[in-house]
Every structure is written in C-alpha cells, then in structure tokens.
Amino acid sequence: MEKFTAGLMVGALAGALVVANSYKMRVLVKKSQDEMKAKLDDMIDEKIEMLEKMSAQKQTEEDTKSTKKAKA
C-alpha cells in the first residue's frame, strides 16, 4: 500500500513537472515533490522505528524465557 501511494504521488508530480511549461509552475512542482519526499521519509522512518522496537521486544522476551529455563 505504501509503495503504491509513494509511486502514485511521485508519478503525479513527475507528470506535472513534464507538463508544466512556465518556470513558476516548475518551481512549485519541485517544491511539492520535495515536501512529499520529506513526508514519505518520515513515514518510512516511523515504520522502521516501530519494526525495530517490535524486534527488540521479541528479543527481550526470548532472552527472558531462556534465562528462566536456565535457572530451572
């Protein structure tokens, strides 16, 4: 879903850049592209952080289980 959304936004902005003939329009489209890239980077960073936290939590749970087994 995220890849589709990213592709859709980038494609739309790239198409607008190709169609835009005036300098002002190109600058506006370029600015929009930069803003979209920044938002996508933030979304991806959040997703990565969430996955890392989940992975760390699972590792902690596994370590706790193995420690309990070793004590027993």
Side-chain angles (χ1 to χ4, degrees):
M1 180 66 177
E2 291 170 350
K3 289 181 182 179
F4 173 75
T5 304
L8 181 65
M9 286 189 283
V10 170
L13 292 173
L17 186 61
V18 170
V19 172
N21 289 326
S22 71
Y23 175 75
K24 288 182 181 180
M25 284 300 295
R26 286 193 299 266
V27 170
L28 178 65
V29 170
K30 182 68 176 168
K31 181 180 174 185
S32 297
Q33 283 179 328
D34 292 339
E35 290 174 0
M36 286 296 187
K37 286 179 186 177
K39 287 180 183 180
L40 287 173
D41 286 342
D42 291 341
M43 285 174 40
I44 291 170
D45 289 342
E46 288 175 8
K47 185 90 168 180
I48 289 171
E49 287 177 17
M50 182 184 67
L51 291 173
E52 287 175 347
K53 286 180 183 178
M54 290 174 60
S55 176
Q57 185 179 19
K58 285 183 181 180
Q59 184 65 38
T60 304
E61 290 173 0
E62 290 175 3
D63 291 343
T64 304
K65 288 179 183 178
S66 64
T67 304
K68 287 181 181 178
K69 287 182 181 178
K71 287 182 180 179

